Amino acid sequence: MRKKEGDKQTAILDAAVQVFQREGFAGAQVAAVAVEAGIATGSVYLYFKGKDAILDGVFERFWCKVLERIEGLPATEPKDQLADQLGAFFDSLSEDRALAEVYLHEHHSFLARKSGVGFDAFARCVSLGEEVFSRGVKSGQFDKGISVSLGRAFVFGGVRASLEFWLSQDSLSAAQVRKRTLRMALSALTPRGLA
Amino acid sequence: MRKKEGDKQTAILDAAVQVFQREGFAGAQVAAVAVEAGIATGSVYLYFKGKDAILDGVFERFWCKVLERIEGLPATEPKDQLADQLGAFFDSLSEDRALAEVYLHEHHSFLARKSGVGFDAFARCVSLGEEVFSRGVKSGQFDKGISVSLGRAFVFGGVRASLEFWLSQDSLSAAQVRKRTLRMALSALTPRGLA
Amino acid sequence: MRKKEGDKQTAILDAAVQVFQREGFAGAQVAAVAVEAGIATGSVYLYFKGKDAILDGVFERFWCKVLERIEGLPATEPKDQLADQLGAFFDSLSEDRALAEVYLHEHHSFLARKSGVGFDAFARCVSLGEEVFSRGVKSGQFDKGISVSLGRAFVFGGVRASLEFWLSQDSLSAAQVRKRTLRMALSALTPRGLA
Amino acid sequence: MRKKEGDKQTAILDAAVQVFQREGFAGAQVAAVAVEAGIATGSVYLYFKGKDAILDGVFERFWCKVLERIEGLPATEPKDQLADQLGAFFDSLSEDRALAEVYLHEHHSFLARKSGVGFDAFARCVSLGEEVFSRGVKSGQFDKGISVSLGRAFVFGGVRASLEFWLSQDSLSAAQVRKRTLRMALSALTPRGLA
DNA sequence: CATGAATGAGACTTCATTCAT
DNA sequence: AATGAATGAAGTCTCATTCAT
């Protein structure tokens, strides 16, 4: 797990994801992260202010990547675009099991701080999602009886839970879970009674 | 002898929910729980083996209550029964904001232990949900292209996220969130293309 | 291990010996002594002021018994009488393995307090031993080059160690160890050069 | 990096001996040992796994020193060599009153663990003593009617008791007690009837 | 006398963070 | 910049003792 000497910040984040997954954030020791990153304990503090900042760093990197993907998506039909957005979120986590577990267990404490570059990226992702949702509502593709933020929260939560499910089993592949999850997500937002 | 005054076990659980909400489980001190419960620190250990056991106790009480509600539901149409089950889950949390927050933040560590009376109750709730889902799939009400456990996970996660949303805002009442959430949940599982 | 209801003090002492042997004095809980004695924790404090007092009680009972035996010995030749005294000490411990272990491990803390009925009995035993030793020195049976109290301490310590040895093995019976130990003890005090 | 300043391990052991003597092992606080050693409480745990390990460390150092002395003794007549061995043991303790008291009070708990470098050194000392004893028995200098291990235990215990005696008084010097003790020890093992 | 639930001071130990090198 | 030994505050849990019943 020796990282390129040139990027200790990255090495620390990678190490942190591994250690946080194994021990949980609360149970993880900064010294263990340092060992995993192949550097000295004290060096961690040259790159991060403290333990919390490492977790923030993990999610900052994550959300910036997701944001990048989402912003790179072509503007298509609301339904398709929303599916692409949720898919990007799903993929960003399913590509890294350790990160996915850390997300499931520790993301709430990241959100609680409500500030920082990472939080802004997160908020922007949410915002982009809600924009697409709004467009869909206007065009009648999405149920207008659901508040936009509630709808966004619901499908987001559903995707999150699907990931958790995927991690817990071996029968379904990430692709299978992804496909079914997106179908459910869109279905959830689609007005019923309508064909 | 000094008799058991009232119900200290209950008092501790109630206190724990408050303290865990305020400080988070990791940040909460057993001494603070004791103060909140109006007893001495050491007394907590007469009722719970340790700090972890208190958290287990909180969720054991929660899931046993949910299970009781769910088992008390009449056997109706799969769609209705599933809505009732998810509603019971939603209600059990929306009735107690502090418990809801503790649920959102700490439930994963409860699940990680995978044992105890509380876990059994949780597993039974999951099981009951999947049974209803299965029935619905057979009767054609639910999409048969979704694996039962994935579908259950998705809607469960959606409801969880709706609760989180509800806690974060003031515009929508619990009843409103509940109603829309259940509609989304059922929609998610309903085959599309069907009228 | 239920004791006669009439003598809880005795029951507590008997129980204490068992528990102190198993756990050591420091590791023993008063509650465990109470359980072993078949009474309530609080009741212990009706008979003993505290945990220390129980240990004192154990050794008080022990030394009073030893004193009784020693005082009951006939006045004979110093060599024989000293052997009888040491034998009485040895027997009082070898008759009760648990007590012997407690003696070996905890007697020093009993002595450190230097007061109480038990300590007086102990001091009297020592004194009686030294008297006989002195007589033996005068009559030339014992080495006059050894200070009386040092000689007494040495043989006492030797007997103590023999007991410890006896507890640690199974080849030699108590009687065998006793016999050889007394021979060594007398030999230790007998002037040499008389070869 | 902060280099190891001096020898903290040694400082801790020295401090521990003082504190254990004053308070007894059970009553001693790790914090007090740290203060006595002039370091922070937490630093103790950089050198020792826990409180028990400190006590083990004290006796490990002690027995290794005794072993070194004993192994350095010239091979002479069994009587002389045994006297030298016991003398080395006596000296190692009489040179440090605090250590002697700790030995008297806490050595049994060290032995109870029956493992570690210190225990091996102890066992080796015992073994060397028994070898010499055996040789003496074969050459007729020592009483063949005493089991080797019992004889070793007896004289060992006698020396231990003499040390305890020496600590308790002021009339006899260490040298005087030593001389008389060794005479008694050898006498104890010498066959009688050879009068 | 008897009970045993309750108490709460106190100890061990951990670990995020610092800083001399 | 890098190191890792040192720090010391803080928290969990124990258990001798008390006292209301």
Side-chain angles (χ1 to χ4, degrees), chain B residues 1-2 8 39-40 42-43 46-47:
Chain B
M1 72 169 179
R2 204 174 287 182
K8 294 229 164 87
I39 61 174
S43 301
L46 293 176
Y47 296 91

Side-chain angles (χ1 to χ4, degrees), chain C residues 19 23 51 54 72 158 182:
Chain C
V19 176
E23 320 285 350
K51 200 183 172 188
I54 302 175
L182 297 187

Side-chain angles (χ1 to χ4, degrees), chain D residues 19-20 28-36 40-42 44-45 50-52 54:
Chain D
V19 175
F20 291 170
Q29 296 177 213
V30 173
V33 173
V35 168
E36 180 88 25
T41 306
V44 172
Y45 292 84
K51 199 183 170 188
D52 282 355
I54 303 176

Side-chain angles (χ1 to χ4, degrees), chain C residues 94-107:
Chain C
S94 66
E95 285 161 2
D96 183 346
R97 291 182 73 100
L99 179 61
E101 290 200 7
V102 174
Y103 177 85
L104 291 173
H105 295 354
E106 319 294 350
H107 193 249

